Amino acid sequence: MTALVIAEHDNASLKASTLNTVTAASQCAADIHVLVAGHNCDAAAAAAAQIAGVLKVIVADNAAFADGLAENVAAQALSLAKQYTHVLAPATAYGKNILPRVAACLDVGQISEITKVDAPDTFERPIYAGNAIATVQSIDPIKVITVRATGFDAAAVGGSAAIEKIDAVADSGKSNFVSRELAKSDRPELTAAKVIVSGGRGIGSAENFKILEPLADKLGAAMGASRAAVDAGYVPNDWQVGQTGKIVAPQLYIAVGISGAIQHLAGMKDSKTIVAINKDAEAPIFSVADYGLVADLFEAVPALVKELG
């Protein structure tokens, strides 16, 4: 069995989720190939070649792939897919945009957001906002899978895979890249951060959210938020953690003024250590917290910052 991993990258470097996807692939198949479809993407291909366990990196270099348009990347993956038993991509916006197209064209069922590989044809995935785990067995000849990065450790670096350049498929012409607006921040990217400080509706206002900044600064943390805080306009959409936001699993997750709705818990309950600060002792967040502090956040957070020196 051989698996093909579709790498998520920015042409210069790989996204961290690709390493987790390679780990999942290694549990599905003996051999792993990585597809890097991009433009002037030699640096990303070289990074992929260094992932431990990868046998070959396939590079398709074409201007049509420069911005990762799903129609074009899916077409490139389809040109290779029938050589493989498994085709995998991260369960990020990138992977979720590409793999359903691949699955549909192959006429197979996609297995979405797996968190565990039980066997090469059997996988576990969360359902009902993470309240239940479904075990899914596939009889399709090609398994098309998106991988929830928080369910797998990142693959080690230290490999020396062969790099093979292939002819790129033609531009489908079905979509055009218009523009990209990127949020600029000196803080770590939310899904890659080792420490996250998140705030909820209990903080009360966008102005009050600033109380979390000194704590995040002390810990070198990314900042996140619950959907309630985002919907209230306190913080930008890209801060949202939860079922309809970003799925995270940092070493330390500090939830401040977050009640712990099931949709939020689905996005962060795999964090290694969870600290909750909330004045409501019955808040659901305490059911998943390793450490809980029942206190007024406007007193507790400055006191914690002071203790951190």
Side-chain angles (χ1 to χ4, degrees):
M1 286 190 245
T2 307
L4 177 68
V5 173
I6 301 173
E8 182 174 1
H9 61 91
D10 60 6
N11 295 310
S13 61
L14 294 178
K15 300 296 185 182
S17 56
T18 300
L19 300 178
N20 305 88
T21 305
V22 168
T23 297
S26 71
Q27 298 173 20
C28 298
D31 297 328
I32 303 170
H33 295 175
V34 175
L35 171 63
V36 178
H39 185 47
N40 296 328
C41 56
D42 287 346
Q50 294 176 13
I51 302 174
V54 173
L55 184 66
K56 181 166 68 175
V57 176
I58 301 169
V59 181
D61 196 321
N62 190 299
F65 301 135
D67 298 296
L69 295 178
E71 293 84 354
N72 294 335
V73 178
Q76 188 67 63
L78 279 165
S79 73
L80 302 167
K82 292 185 179 179
Q83 305 171 35
Y84 298 94
T85 56
H86 300 75
V87 179
L88 304 94
T92 57
Y94 180 82
K96 290 177 181 179
N97 205 6
I98 295 167
L99 278 203
R101 303 168 193 271
V102 174
C105 290
L106 291 174
D107 195 25
V108 300
Q110 177 176 298
I111 305 165
S112 301
E113 300 211 30
I114 68 165
T115 54
K116 186 179 179 183
V117 177
D118 290 336
D121 65 347
T122 308
F123 313 91
E124 293 183 10
R125 59 181 300 269
I127 58 175
Y128 302 127
N131 279 307
I133 301 296
T135 300
V136 182
Q137 186 173 34
S138 171
I139 60 172
D140 289 325
I142 303 173
K143 281 60 169 175
V144 177
I145 302 164
T146 59
V147 176
R148 183 175 284 193
T150 57
F152 299 88
D153 293 333
V157 176
S160 55
I163 296 178
E164 176 187 338
K165 294 195 175 184
I166 63 171
D167 293 333
V169 298
D171 188 342
S172 69
K174 293 179 180 177
S175 61
N176 295 302
F177 177 76
V178 177
S179 65
R180 178 180 288 118
E181 293 184 16
L182 299 176
K184 295 182 179 179
S185 174
D186 293 331
R187 302 190 187 280
E189 201 278 320
L190 191 58
T191 56
K194 293 183 178 180
V195 181
I196 296 173
V197 176
S198 264
R201 183 164 47 192
I203 289 184
S205 70
E207 183 66 25
N208 286 349
F209 241 85
K210 293 179 181 177
I211 195 173
L212 300 184
E213 292 179 0
L215 179 58
D217 290 341
K218 290 283 187 183
L219 298 172
M223 289 185 65
S226 66
R227 178 172 178 171
V230 170
D231 287 349
Y234 299 167
V235 293
N237 288 350
D238 60 349
W239 285 27
Q240 184 179 329
V241 172
Q243 185 180 17
T244 55
K246 295 179 179 177
I247 308 296
V248 300
Q251 295 295 316
L252 174 61
Y253 188 89
I254 301 178
V256 182
I258 294 176
S259 63
I262 187 172
Q263 292 84 357
H264 185 76
L265 300 185
M268 47 64 73
K269 66 181 182 181
D270 290 329
S271 303
K272 301 299 183 289
T273 302
I274 300 171
V275 175
I277 301 173
N278 198 298
K279 65 182 180 182
D280 178 7
E282 302 299 319
I285 190 70
F286 289 121
S287 67
V288 298
D290 297 287
Y291 301 95
L293 177 61
V294 179
D296 183 333
L297 69 90
F298 296 104
E299 297 175 1
V301 173
L304 181 56
V305 172
K306 184 177 180 180
E307 287 295 323
L308 289 170

